[in-house]
Amino acid sequence: QVQLVESGGGLVQTGGSLRLSCAASRLTFRAYAMGWFRQAPGKEREFVAAINGIRLNTYYADSVKGRGIISRDNAKNTLYLQMSSLKLEDTGEYFCAARLGTASTSSTDYNIWGQGTQVTVSS
């Protein structure tokens, strides 16, 4: 069974940084575009960043441009999201997602999802 498992979340102060990881198993990782999405309590899931499988084009939400870096290691079947200068509004459950083909900023285009990892930013 295809599986995505996120890790790296936690409690961090404003201005801090963290790196999220997403380990993929039982799929040809490089064939999949990968994305990070997040969902704050009471809000809809929103796009954070995405990356293509081979060409490694990256895409970012305006809210994280300049503060987030999405990357992947196809040899390790792992996706990353490095976030810095964290803000209170970065708080939420962070999900990684996979789709065959090119990256998309729409959550409905992704058909494989992880369980999420919680990021809480405090002042």
Side-chain angles (χ1 to χ4, degrees):
Q1 183 176 353
V2 173
Q3 191 174 28
L4 300 177
V5 179
E6 301 93 336
S7 62
L11 178 64
V12 62
Q13 290 188 324
T14 53
S17 61
L18 53 72
R19 187 176 80 159
L20 305 181
S21 299
C22 170
S25 58
R26 302 182 187 89
L27 78 168
T28 305
F29 187 63
R30 65 183 180 277
Y32 286 78
M34 301 295 295
W36 284 102
F37 293 80
R38 66 188 181 190
Q39 188 166 17
K43 294 187 176 182
E44 293 186 353
R45 191 168 296 187
E46 65 174 3
F47 169 74
V48 177
I51 185 169
N52 280 321
I54 297 176
R55 294 187 177 183
L56 306 182
N57 312 67
T58 57
Y59 307 87
Y60 296 94
D62 288 343
S63 59
V64 302
K65 277 181 181 176
R67 302 188 299 117
I69 299 174
I70 187 171
S71 62
R72 62 192 293 163
D73 186 334
N74 286 343
K76 295 182 178 179
N77 287 4
T78 304
L79 173 74
Y80 304 99
L81 179 67
Q82 177 75 41
M83 291 280 292
S84 59
S85 302
L86 285 164
K87 305 176 181 180
L88 294 175
E89 52 264 43
D90 292 319
T91 294
E93 189 83 8
Y94 282 69
F95 300 89
C96 65
R99 70 182 299 267
L100 283 172
T102 58
S104 170
T105 62
S106 174
S107 63
T108 57
D109 288 336
Y110 292 81
N111 60 325
I112 303 170
W113 290 84
Q115 294 299 308
T117 185
Q118 177 67 36
V119 172
T120 303
V121 183
S122 65
S123 58

